[in-house]
Amino acid sequence: AGKLARRRLALCAEPGRRGRRSACAPQEASTVKRRLDRHLVALVALLALALALRVWRLDAQSLWNDEGTSVALAQRDIATILRNAADDIHPPLYYILLHFWVRLVGSSEAAVRGLSALCGVGVVGATYLLARRVLSDQGALLASLFAACSPFQVYYSQEARMYMPATLLGLLLVLACDTLFSRWHWRASLRSPIALAILLTSSALLHTHYYGATLLIAVNLAFLIWMGVEWRVRGRFPLDALWRCL
């Protein structure tokens, strides 16, 4: 039986006849499926780990000054939130989200920090999606593990402030921009769901934290650099898709 199995594997490895390939296809498909199943289980386990680290002792400390300001402002009506945010150093989107979150789950320490904790888990998932575009599957899982266990991320995931929502939006913006660049040539148009995602995440990021403007500058610089590389490689700027969006 062992010899037969080794012979079968050797036949599958040979670039032989078409029939051999078709006979090996079910075995190869089964191997790929098992690998994907293990990969999915590992990713789910990492997300569960990230959630556990972020909700553990979530209400161990009382709300500090800035968190209390967030909750107090979120408990007012939307018009008051917008009016007060105009005099604040932070834009109003987080307070509006927290307004509906508090109405849904309450205003205890754990409840109001839960929004940031969920965004922190989302950051781990977004890290995986972005890392998978430039690394192997194992590298993407490792990057997700670092994000899940990062003390810095865990700390800010347990604060009722806008930092983790802004981080999640920043990752989604970079992911959308990278997707647009990679698909530009075979879908030469900025009028697409990806372009809409870039517009929405950019707007949401700027309305969550003003430092999001630095990331917008970075992705626009990356776009200009990419256009310069395209010009050197192809001898022209890829302006056809850009022209169609104007």
Side-chain angles (χ1 to χ4, degrees):
K3 290 182 179 180
L4 183 60
R6 286 193 295 271
R7 176 60 179 166
R8 182 183 178 88
L9 289 175
L11 287 174
C12 289
E14 279 182 18
R17 298 178 187 172
R18 195 172 185 180
R20 287 179 181 172
R21 282 296 183 187
S22 60
C24 297
Q27 181 179 354
E28 294 174 354
S30 177
T31 302
V32 171
K33 184 178 183 301
R34 286 197 301 270
R35 188 175 302 168
L36 289 175
D37 288 343
R38 289 196 298 268
H39 189 79
L40 181 60
V41 169
L43 178 59
V44 172
L46 284 176
L47 293 176
L49 173 64
L51 179 62
L53 290 174
R54 282 151 180 78
V55 300
W56 184 64
R57 294 176 57 84
L58 190 59
D59 57 350
Q61 297 182 9
S62 60
L63 298 177
W64 67 290
N65 181 61
D66 285 358
E67 289 181 303
T69 301
S70 297
V71 176
L73 185 56
Q75 290 179 321
R76 300 178 181 179
D77 59 90
I78 300 297
T80 303
I81 292 175
L82 294 174
R83 190 164 53 249
N84 289 0
D87 300 325
D88 194 14
I89 60 173
H90 295 295
L93 182 57
Y94 172 74
Y95 301 121
I96 295 174
L97 293 176
L98 189 61
H99 168 82
F100 292 104
W101 180 263
V102 167
R103 294 181 64 180
L104 182 65
V105 301
S107 58
S108 66
E109 285 88 349
V112 297
R113 290 168 177 162
L115 178 59
S116 295
L118 288 180
C119 288
V121 177
V123 165
V124 176
T127 299
Y128 168 80
L129 293 176
L130 186 59
R132 196 178 181 189
R133 300 185 65 85
V134 295
L135 302 173
S136 64
D137 290 343
Q138 291 77 12
L141 287 175
L142 186 61
S144 302
L145 176 62
F146 289 154
C149 299
S150 168
F152 185 80
Q153 290 200 31
V154 173
Y155 177 83
Y156 282 103
S157 294
Q158 294 186 335
E159 280 204 351
R161 296 294 284 167
M162 66 289 298
Y163 307 121
M164 291 315 295
T167 303
L168 177 58
L169 288 169
L171 275 171
L172 294 177
L173 173 61
V174 174
L175 180 62
C177 289
D178 183 70
T179 303
L180 181 67
F181 294 165
S182 63
R183 296 185 180 183
W184 189 293
H185 296 298
W186 63 269
R187 183 184 291 178
S189 175
L190 293 181
R191 293 176 179 176
S192 67
I194 300 174
L196 179 61
I198 292 175
L199 178 63
L200 292 177
T201 52
S202 300
S203 178
L205 179 59
L206 285 177
H207 285 84
T208 302
H209 202 292
Y210 290 126
Y211 280 0
T214 60
L215 185 57
L216 287 177
I217 294 173
V219 296
N220 279 278
L221 287 175
F223 178 75
L224 294 176
I225 293 172
W226 175 78
M227 289 186 68
V229 171
E230 288 291 304
W231 175 71
R232 293 194 62 178
V233 172
R234 302 177 184 273
R236 64 183 181 86
F237 285 111
L239 295 177
D240 49 351
L242 185 61
W243 177 255
R244 273 192 279 271
C245 79
L246 298 177

